[in-house]
Amino acid sequence: MKKRLYLELENCIGCRSCLAACTQCGGHEERNRNYVYDVNPLVNRQTMPLMCLHCENPACARSCPAQAIQIHETGAVLSALVEKCIGCQNCTIACPYGIPKFDHEQNLMYKCDLCIDRTKDGIPPMCASVCPSNTLQWLTDEEIENKKKQFNLDNGKWVTSMPYLEGETNVKVNLPGILQGITKLF
Amino acid sequence: MQRDKFFKEIENLNHPNEKLIKTHCSYCGMQCGMNLRVNTQTNKIIGVEPRYDWPVTVGKMCPKGVTAYQQTNHKDRLLKPLIRDDASLKGTAEGFREASWDEAYDLIAKKFKELQTEYGKDSLSVFSGVSMTNEKCYLTGKFARVALGTRYIDYNGRFCMSSAAGGFLRSFGVDRGSTLPWTDIHETDCLFIAGSNTAECHPTSMFRIWNVQERGGYIIVVDPRETPIARRADLHLDLQPGTDLALANGIVNQLIEMGYIDEEFINKHTNGFEETKELVKDFTPEYTSMLTGVAPEKIIRAAEIYGKAPNAVVMFARGVEQQHKGVDNVSAYTNMALVTGKIGRPKAGVATFTGQGNGQGGREHGQKSDLLPGYRKITNPKHVEEVCSVWGITPEEMPQPGVSAYEMIELMEQKTIRGLYLLCSNPAVSAPNLNFVRKAFKALDFMVCSDFYLSESAEFADVILPAVTWSEDEGTVTNIEGRIIKINKAQEPVGESKPDWQIQVELAERLGRGKYFSHLKTARDVADEFRLATKGGYADYYGATWDKIDKQDGVFWPCKDEKDEGTPHMFLDKKFYHPDGKAKICALPYRPPAEEPCEKYPLRLTTGRVVYHYLSGNQTRRIPFLHDMCPEPYVEIHPETASTYNMEHEERVRLFTRRGEAVYKVKITEAIRKDTVFVPYHFGHEDSINLLTIAALDPISRMPEFKACAAQLEKVELKKVQ
Ligand code: SF4
Ligand code: SF4
Ligand code: SF4
């Protein structure tokens, strides 16, 4: 069954275990490829991960003049191919979320490949495997649909992320606020 | 096996030329399951792979766990014994030379014998820790009493879990850190969490904790800081550090006033209610608010939520325990469960977040000054007899009870204790009042330290013995739930390092006590003797064989025999462990912190942890990812407080108390009380916040008051690093 990365930003505790785990995926040369932001560091402890969303029509790949950014059959938008990447950094500018990172020494872009060695066989990526708070989860479409139902408010106050994102993405996101629609037990 | 909705069947990724060794993390009490990746050609540990099939943590790990494997083949590992001939260099890392094990053992045996001949048996001491297996903890207790024959043995749990132990013993008559398995946590309706920065200190509890809210349940957090868990809590009781006892009394009073008590439970299963009711009467919301700084409405609301919840769990950690009334705090919060009868059934109970990996098991089996294996008392002649029969000594040979960790250090300074064997601990960073502690270590005639890195404490030693990391030995650990689990060996010891149990056996032989130790040739030999020594004690591990642990995904103690599957839930029969089978509701008069703010020291200083480091930081500060994420300590200050001192974010300032001072970078945050400053304690030498903390000890647990003392800030000339 196809599974996707799903982000529930409200849950993040800022432990950066996702980043530590990213370095542990065999194919990542021990470099982490995503980000965790302190939302308002002088005020509170809110944090959120900023992960590649693996866009269905990825701006990074579209912007690449050398076709170095391939899309895997699972939908994962891969890291630049060493032999093709010309180091122009177009992708780092084109991505609406600033995801691709650049290695100046190697003159090479590198980005999240959704732990393709794992996810091609249905094994969850390292970040979603370890995330202690369930901010990052590896779910079926059905499970994601249930999440949507659970967290959607029909009063128009609460929406999942769609209107805020640029186009369809393989990774699904719930912005902070998931608890607004919960009915308390007592 | 408790497989719940978070459990998913997932196959691990197997890289070519690698095997996976199932084990658990080396660090905190969560003891997250993990697989170590071992290269089958070099036989070295090279990485980590989640352990999805571990029912408690289902593959999850915090960044410490993810990088834990990097400890084993780290460049800083001690590969050979080290001897320092020039005692004037004590307190520095200088002057050590490599030596053979024979030379090191000979020197230790000679010095120990000389000291004991001249100053008596009790001139030696053992200071140990609980970040090691039950087998090692057990043998360390036996080593002190049988090989050295000294009364002075104690351990770093005095800076960690001893108040929880004291409180549970008084309230329940038994000290098992959690009355229920962690797989119950997400199914309860209300979590009342006091003094626990859970998101940073026990991160892999968080997916269960958040799920309580997703189900419509409540989270109440008590903390002077708005920690990540407090930020999302339904109710945050932002108390002044060191005032928990007043808050707990205030909430119990409200529970009684609002009629949330369970009279039948109280009558049948508890003692002490009337007395307690009388005492807490004074703790009206207004009075409690005056003492704690928490708004009266919040106190009422907390009692209402907890009282109404069909099931609820009261949880706490070092925030309430590391006070000079830590034991009272534990019993007072436990009162909430006892007056409402929310205990002794699934999804309801009381739990402490165990700090160290084996904080639970390590305190039960005889490393504490007054305890013997199986939680037996050294002052109980029957208990002594039972243990003597396993050890093969006579009761007359059993030493008397000793004193607590910090008090041992005081005896070093007074020259009553002249020799020290330190293992699995780094008190030169983790003890309070460090200027005194470091002076006491310098005063020792002879000190041996066993560690796998050259810690700040090892800098005071004459001999350093290279120990192994957790991944180079096997044995059991008792996790946060009271579940006995198995640590497996993934690699042969690096260099000439040895496991501490082997060091103790060999050292005992040098000391002429081989006949009590020489039969212990493997970790499993120690495990078998250890289980036997616990048999009949109330922390009975006899039935928890390694095979059973493997088959059942761990075994909860007590587990008395082969057929016994262990005890995930405590008190299901509503029988507590006091002789009359009843729990004790405790009437506890309030006492303020030992040192209250004054004109000269107007701020409250509190200390704690960050997610990237473990205890004294001796291990985690060496791991590149963890070091990069938090390379140095800082002082958290509320912006309004900072502005009264005219201090800026990232400016270096001097923080001082009556005992010491240090210079820290300012971290401005609104997520802390205005009257409180916070510094993490994982750092050594002049960066240690414990230079400033106070050694006011709890009368029962002898726990120092790390969590509250009076401090002052001052600008330093050095302007902000540009
Ligand atoms: S691992 Fe999860 S909780 Fe931790 S920082 Fe990453 S997303 Fe946030
Ligand atoms: S999020 Fe950015 S890097 Fe990821 S696929 Fe979309 S455009 Fe490319
Ligand atoms: S430090 Fe604790 S929470 Fe983190 S991985 Fe290790 S056992 Fe788990």
Side-chain angles (χ1 to χ4, degrees):
Chain A
M1 205 181 322
K2 184 173 162 63
K3 291 196 177 182
R4 296 171 186 280
L5 184 62
Y6 164 76
L7 275 58
E8 211 158 273
L9 297 182
E10 182 79 62
N11 293 347
C12 183
I13 54 174
C15 69
R16 292 171 172 81
S17 200
C18 46
L19 302 186
C22 188
T23 66
Q24 296 307 310
C25 171
H28 288 179
E29 292 156 354
E30 310 208 346
R31 289 189 298 200
N32 76 66
R33 286 149 187 251
N34 286 310
Y35 308 82
V36 175
Y37 277 112
D38 293 317
V39 177
N40 209 346
L42 300 185
V43 175
N44 64 28
R45 301 289 305 271
Q46 188 181 6
T47 50
M48 52 170 90
L50 186 57
M51 319 297 272
C52 171
L53 298 177
H54 295 276
C55 306
E56 292 196 350
N57 185 10
C60 58
R62 270 187 284 138
S63 78
C64 177
Q67 281 164 340
I69 305 172
Q70 309 267 306
I71 302 172
H72 190 266
E73 63 191 37
T74 57
V77 179
L78 302 180
S79 197
L81 291 168
V82 192
E83 36 324 339
K84 287 197 176 171
C85 176
I86 55 168
C88 69
Q89 299 188 53
N90 275 3
C91 54
T92 61
I93 301 158
C95 169
Y97 320 106
I99 297 291
K101 296 191 180 185
F102 196 74
D103 180 332
H104 287 274
E105 244 161 62
Q106 286 189 57
N107 199 32
L108 177 68
M109 170 279 239
Y110 62 103
K111 68 174 282 296
C112 166
D113 62 355
L114 211 59
C115 296
I116 195 68
D117 288 349
R118 308 175 69 86
T119 50
K120 72 174 165 30
D121 298 323
I123 306 172
M126 286 301 283
C127 55
S129 297
V130 302
C131 174
S133 67
N134 268 351
T135 303
L136 309 174
Q137 304 184 43
W138 184 243
L139 300 179
T140 61
D141 283 337
E142 193 190 336
E143 286 168 319
I144 291 173
E145 202 42 49
N146 288 340
K147 290 271 185 193
K148 247 191 210 158
K149 275 189 212 137
Q150 183 186 350
F151 296 134
N152 252 325
L153 284 188
D154 47 17
N155 62 8
K157 264 197 191 155
W158 169 241
V159 281
T160 49
S161 58
M162 272 323 296
Y164 304 107
L165 297 181
E166 309 237 334
E168 280 295 332
T169 58
N170 279 298
V171 175
K172 301 294 175 195
V173 187
N174 256 326
L175 295 179
I178 50 169
L179 296 175
Q180 293 177 47
I182 303 264
T183 328
K184 285 290 187 189
L185 290 171
F186 55 90
Chain B
M1 230 177 295
Q2 300 80 21
R3 299 196 160 172
D4 54 31
K5 65 175 182 187
F6 294 109
F7 190 95
K8 288 180 181 169
E9 293 282 348
I10 297 169
E11 276 197 34
N12 279 110
L13 180 65
N14 264 307
H15 298 268
N17 300 323
E18 284 182 19
K19 63 179 177 190
L20 297 179
I21 302 294
K22 271 191 199 186
T23 190
H24 298 268
C25 177
S26 59
Y27 299 121
C28 85
M30 287 304 297
Q31 286 297 292
C32 299
M34 64 167 65
N35 287 293
L36 290 174
R37 286 166 54 196
V38 178
N39 181 306
T40 47
Q41 270 141 21
T42 60
N43 290 313
K44 296 271 185 224
I45 296 167
I46 55 157
V48 68
E49 169 71 19
R51 188 169 163 188
Y52 300 108
D53 64 356
W54 181 247
V56 188
T57 49
V58 297
K60 298 179 180 304
M61 288 176 266
C62 80
K64 297 184 289 295
V66 169
T67 53
Y69 77 91
Q70 293 170 11
Q71 294 171 88
T72 311
N73 297 302
H74 195 283
K75 63 171 177 35
D76 293 353
R77 280 294 297 275
L78 299 172
L79 303 176
K80 277 173 157 268
L82 300 175
I83 292 178
R84 175 162 56 195
D85 304 303
D86 181 357
S88 72
L89 293 170
K90 278 190 182 216
T92 73
E94 307 303 315
F96 288 105
R97 63 176 170 87
E98 289 191 346
S100 68
W101 277 99
D102 273 333
E103 189 190 356
Y105 281 152
D106 286 343
L107 179 63
I108 296 168
K110 178 171 152 265
K111 289 287 188 181
F112 277 5
K113 278 185 196 157
E114 277 173 15
L115 287 174
Q116 287 191 315
T117 312
E118 191 156 345
Y119 303 106
K121 288 258 171 208
D122 295 335
S123 60
L124 294 185
S125 62
V126 178
F127 192 117
S128 63
V130 288
S131 296
M132 59 182 181
T133 61
N134 284 314
E135 287 73 14
K136 287 177 184 142
C137 294
Y138 159 75
L139 201 66
T140 300
K142 178 177 170 183
F143 178 82
R145 271 90 179 216
V146 180
L148 300 179
T150 179
R151 69 196 293 182
Y152 292 123
I153 170 169
D154 209 61
Y155 77 125
N156 66 6
R158 296 284 188 180
F159 306 153
C160 183
M161 300 302 301
S162 63
S163 292
F168 287 148
L169 282 172
R170 183 168 58 188
S171 295
F172 300 140
V174 62
D175 159 34
R176 205 186 81 178
S178 176
T179 67
L180 72 180
W182 237 238
T183 42
D184 271 22
I185 301 256
H186 60 277
E187 295 192 337
T188 194
D189 308 309
C190 168
L191 291 172
F192 181 95
I193 302 178
S196 161
N197 177 6
T198 321
E200 295 202 70
C201 304
H202 299 87
T204 52
S205 293
M206 291 309 298
F207 67 102
R208 296 185 191 281
I209 292 177
W210 286 158
N211 194 241
V212 171
Q213 279 180 321
E214 250 183 70
R215 286 178 33 254
Y218 292 82
I219 299 175
I220 304 170
V221 171
V222 180
D223 202 304
R225 298 193 299 148
E226 195 194 73
T227 58
I229 186 173
R231 190 181 73 82
R232 188 175 136 171
D234 296 273
L235 192 59
H236 173 202
L237 310 178
D238 50 345
L239 84 180
Q240 277 173 0
T243 61
D244 290 87
L245 184 51
L247 182 68
N249 281 346
I251 293 176
V252 169
N253 182 38
Q254 283 307 298
L255 289 170
I256 297 171
E257 292 256 307
M258 293 193 268
Y260 289 120
I261 57 170
D262 180 340
E263 281 180 35
E264 195 191 327
F265 180 90
I266 291 171
N267 292 335
K268 272 201 190 144
H269 305 297
T270 69
N271 292 311
F273 176 70
E274 286 306 325
E275 215 184 316
T276 305
K277 182 178 167 184
E278 214 26 62
L279 183 128
V280 298
K281 256 195 194 133
D282 291 342
F283 291 81
T284 59
E286 292 69 30
Y287 180 59
T288 308
S289 173
M290 194 193 84
L291 294 173
T292 61
V294 179
E297 317 78 76
K298 286 189 178 179
I299 299 165
I300 297 168
R301 181 71 182 133
E304 189 185 14
I305 296 172
Y306 179 83
K308 269 191 191 159
N311 286 307
V313 183
V314 176
M315 307 175 92
F316 36 78
R318 305 307 82 73
V320 320
E321 296 161 18
Q322 289 177 331
Q323 295 181 24
H324 85 311
K325 53 178 177 299
V327 173
D328 285 358
N329 290 338
V330 166
S331 287
Y333 281 124
T334 299
N335 281 347
M336 291 171 58
L338 291 173
V339 299
T340 56
K342 292 190 215 282
I343 192 160
R345 60 173 190 254
K347 305 177 201 177
V350 179
T352 178
F353 289 93
T354 301
Q356 295 183 69
N358 198 21
Q360 177 75 49
R363 71 176 180 263
E364 300 163 356
H365 303 296
Q367 295 195 96
K368 216 171 176 175
S369 59
D370 59 342
L371 289 186
L372 291 172
Y375 232 119
R376 291 186 176 89
K377 293 287 272 185
I378 209 163
T379 45
N380 179 324
K382 189 171 157 282
H383 288 181
V384 171
E385 230 166 80
E386 286 164 354
V387 174
C388 283
S389 74
V390 178
W391 287 355
I393 59 169
T394 63
E396 294 71 46
E397 290 174 89
M398 183 70 83
Q400 296 296 305
V403 297
S404 76
Y406 189 80
E407 292 164 299
M408 281 205 318
I409 297 170
E410 288 176 334
L411 293 181
M412 292 171 202
E413 200 260 348
Q414 295 162 19
K415 289 286 203 181
T416 307
I417 292 175
R418 292 179 169 261
L420 166 64
Y421 164 38
L422 171 71
L423 67 154
C424 192
S425 192
N426 189 11
V429 175
S430 61
N433 194 16
L434 281 181
N435 282 319
F436 174 83
V437 170
R438 291 173 185 175
K439 192 169 111 208
F441 287 156
K442 266 198 187 157
L444 286 164
D445 292 4
F446 187 67
M447 172 175 164
V448 181
C449 175
S450 165
D451 207 321
F452 43 88
Y453 300 129
L454 205 153
S455 69
E456 286 80 359
S457 300
E459 292 177 3
F460 292 88
D462 300 282
V463 179
I464 304 177
L465 301 176
V468 297
T469 64
W470 97 119
S471 59
E472 300 155 283
D473 188 25
E474 61 177 340
T476 60
V477 159
T478 310
N479 77 356
I480 196 165
E481 309 162 283
R483 185 195 305 243
I484 308 158
I485 58 175
K486 179 79 198 306
I487 301 292
N488 289 313
K489 179 172 171 174
Q491 180 185 316
E492 287 305 316
V494 165
E496 293 180 20
S497 63
K498 296 182 184 192
D500 284 311
W501 62 263
Q502 189 186 346
I503 294 172
Q504 289 168 6
V505 170
E506 292 172 358
L507 209 45
E509 286 168 347
R510 298 286 169 136
L511 293 162
R513 306 295 279 173
K515 76 170 180 175
Y516 304 102
F517 292 87
S518 294
H519 58 287
L520 303 169
K521 297 198 163 29
T522 63
R524 195 183 269 270
D525 292 341
V526 184
D528 290 341
E529 183 180 296
F530 155 65
R531 283 191 301 110
L532 188 65
T534 68
K535 191 174 161 76
Y538 79 67
D540 193 331
Y541 282 43
Y542 185 66
T545 60
W546 287 3
D547 290 343
K548 194 187 284 180
I549 292 170
D550 206 35
K551 228 175 275 153
Q552 279 185 204
D553 284 338
V555 177
F556 289 80
W557 72 258
C559 178
K560 296 185 182 354
D561 53 42
E562 263 140 60
K563 286 198 204 92
D564 189 346
E565 288 182 0
T567 317
H569 293 92
M570 296 291 279
F571 320 130
L572 286 181
D573 53 3
K574 306 276 193 288
K575 287 268 174 305
F576 297 90
Y577 281 51
H578 286 303
D580 61 1
K582 291 185 175 184
K584 187 159 169 40
I585 297 173
C586 302
L588 302 162
Y590 178 67
R591 293 175 280 146
E595 188 180 66
E596 284 275 67
C598 59
E599 212 176 303
K600 250 179 115 182
Y601 301 96
L603 297 166
R604 290 173 194 267
L605 167 65
T606 191
T607 67
R609 280 163 60 172
V610 301
V611 67
Y612 307 110
H613 292 294
Y614 178 63
L615 308 187
S616 75
N618 182 35
Q619 292 152 278
T620 48
R621 276 184 272 130
R622 298 172 202 270
I623 305 295
F625 181 87
L626 303 176
H627 171 84
D628 290 352
M629 289 294 153
C630 184
E632 57 174 354
Y634 49 83
V635 53
E636 273 186 17
I637 311 177
H638 191 278
E640 281 183 28
T641 312
S643 81
T644 63
Y645 287 89
N646 193 21
M647 285 172 183
E648 289 172 45
H649 189 57
E650 305 224 313
E651 171 177 353
R652 301 194 90 86
V653 301
R654 182 171 163 259
L655 180 66
F656 58 103
T657 66
R658 290 184 174 85
R659 293 153 296 281
E661 60 171 60
V663 172
Y664 296 114
K665 225 186 211 178
V666 170
K667 185 172 168 186
I668 302 259
T669 176
E670 286 175 25
I672 189 166
R673 290 179 60 88
K674 290 173 198 161
D675 54 11
T676 302
V677 294
F678 167 87
V679 181
Y681 81 92
H682 314 283
F683 300 86
H685 300 127
E686 69 282 1
D687 285 343
S688 291
I689 188 59
N690 279 325
L691 290 163
L692 284 72
T693 51
I694 189 168
L697 305 185
D698 182 285
I700 298 171
S701 68
R702 315 310 282 160
M703 167 78 79
E705 188 149 65
F706 293 105
K707 284 295 187 270
C709 68
Q712 177 62 307
L713 279 167
E714 192 179 78
K715 283 178 83 82
V716 288
E717 299 308 322
L718 210 94
K719 269 307 267 181
K720 190 171 156 183
V721 208
Q722 296 298 331

